[in-house]
Amino acid sequence: MIRSSPELLAVSRRWYEILRTKKNTDELRNYLSKSDELRFVGTGEGEFWSGQAVRDGVSGFFAEIPAPVVFEEVEAEAFENAETGWSSFVHKIQFVGFDEPVFYRTVLIFVLEGAAWKIINRHASVPTPNIELVGKEQLAIQKLVDAAREDGPELIQTEGLASVLFTDVEGSTTLAEALGDQRWSVLIENHFQVLAAIIEKYHGQFVKSLGDGTLSVFPSAKEALTAAIKIQGPLHRLPRSHLSVSGLGFILVMSCNLVEIFSVLWSIKPHA
């Protein structure tokens, strides 16, 4: 069964952190599969490589790229199904000497080798308008996406026009490294289940999760805030043998006559 994978999201982010900082590029080969079926597809013409050449050359390939002045994660998601998985990322990247950033889309496909996830296929691309490639705009999928966004969730509002609750685990990358990918994956999945139950209890809709964050909508600001308060309880009851919780609190991100948005931020640190 296909499911969201916080574990692969964490592995992918460590890969991209090496690309961003340009530190320890020699470690990149350790992320790659040892299979002859390994494939590496770049954005340049002719950049379609396979097998041992990729493992031997990946460090030098990325070391040759200048350190970016802008490297921002725009979108990120990851999924797994038994012994395979994949992640999709969009980064906004800008290099010295260029006036505008470029949006890079990258897909990493993983396989389990032993107990570790390894990249079997890396495919990167940069957007080029279809009108320039095929002489025609291709809008069928985009129209469906736009229609879905316009429809949105059906809510019976009692206060304001929209009450939205965001949650995010602060310092999740560091925490995932401290716990290990498998323990982190179990922890975050259990975390989502607890949040979903509380959100539904207070008449909210668990709209989506992205990485370690969630987005939910409520029929009123009162119910959104009540759910946010109730979320604190399970966090304080996390097993102390594994974790301790600190820095729990609310931050009012935005409040106006059209949208009421509350954000809950917390940090979960390894127990010493």
Side-chain angles (χ1 to χ4, degrees):
M1 182 178 67
I2 297 175
R3 63 186 181 90
S4 178
S5 179
E7 182 177 355
L8 285 179
L9 203 64
V11 173
S12 299
R13 281 178 170 148
R14 290 201 292 274
W15 165 275
Y16 292 117
E17 182 65 10
I18 294 175
L19 304 190
R20 183 187 71 83
T21 62
K22 316 299 291 184
K23 296 178 180 178
N24 303 318
T25 55
D26 288 343
E27 293 183 7
L28 291 172
R29 64 176 292 134
N30 297 328
Y31 287 78
L32 302 177
S33 168
K34 296 180 179 179
S35 170
D36 290 338
E37 284 66 46
L38 171 66
R39 297 293 183 269
F40 185 102
V41 183
T43 57
E45 184 177 356
E47 292 185 354
F48 189 102
W49 301 303
S50 62
Q52 190 62 42
V54 177
R55 288 186 290 275
D56 291 342
V58 65
S59 298
F61 176 84
F62 285 110
E64 290 175 342
I65 300 174
V69 293
V70 174
F71 194 105
E72 298 178 5
E73 181 182 298
V74 179
E75 295 184 27
E77 59 182 2
F79 303 91
E80 61 181 89
N81 184 17
E83 295 184 354
T84 60
W86 57 95
S87 69
S88 301
F89 278 71
V90 177
H91 289 96
K92 182 171 74 171
I93 302 176
Q94 184 174 353
F95 297 100
V96 174
F98 291 85
D99 296 330
E100 300 290 336
V102 174
F103 289 87
Y104 286 80
R105 293 89 59 90
T106 310
V107 174
L108 301 177
I109 301 176
F110 294 85
V111 292
L112 269 178
E113 294 185 357
W117 288 105
K118 299 294 183 178
I119 297 170
I120 189 69
N121 190 302
R122 178 265 188 187
H123 191 146
S125 66
V126 293
T128 299
N130 288 320
I131 192 72
E132 296 181 13
L133 294 175
V134 299
K136 182 179 176 60
E137 292 187 354
Q138 296 167 273
L139 303 176
I141 295 177
Q142 188 59 49
K143 287 179 178 178
L144 293 175
V145 172
D146 292 341
R149 287 174 176 170
E150 290 174 2
D151 291 342
E154 295 183 2
L155 296 173
I156 301 175
Q157 292 289 345
T158 60
E159 298 177 28
L161 295 179
S163 301
V164 183
L165 176 68
F166 295 101
T167 73
D168 183 63
V169 179
E170 183 180 323
S172 58
T173 301
T174 301
L175 179 58
E177 292 177 354
L179 294 178
D181 294 328
Q182 292 184 345
R183 288 179 64 196
W184 170 247
S185 181
V186 172
L187 174 68
I188 204 68
E189 285 296 331
N190 291 340
H191 165 68
F192 285 157
Q193 292 176 14
V194 170
L195 260 63
I198 295 174
I199 288 164
E200 292 174 5
K201 180 178 180 180
Y202 293 94
H203 309 108
Q205 291 177 266
F206 190 103
V207 177
K208 67 179 298 185
S209 62
L210 182 61
D212 49 63
T214 69
L215 182 152
S216 306
V217 290
F218 291 80
S220 75
K222 179 180 179 181
E223 287 169 309
L225 183 57
T226 301
I229 293 172
K230 296 298 182 181
I231 286 172
Q232 296 181 77
L235 292 176
H236 283 299
R237 291 194 294 271
L238 284 169
R240 291 288 170 167
S241 60
H242 300 289
L243 301 168
S244 62
V245 181
S246 64
L248 181 63
F250 295 119
I251 297 178
L252 183 64
V253 175
M254 182 185 298
S255 180
C256 66
N257 61 342
L258 293 178
V259 181
E260 298 163 297
I261 300 178
F262 295 89
S263 180
V264 184
L265 300 175
W266 60 87
S267 61
I268 310 175
K269 300 179 180 179
H271 181 65

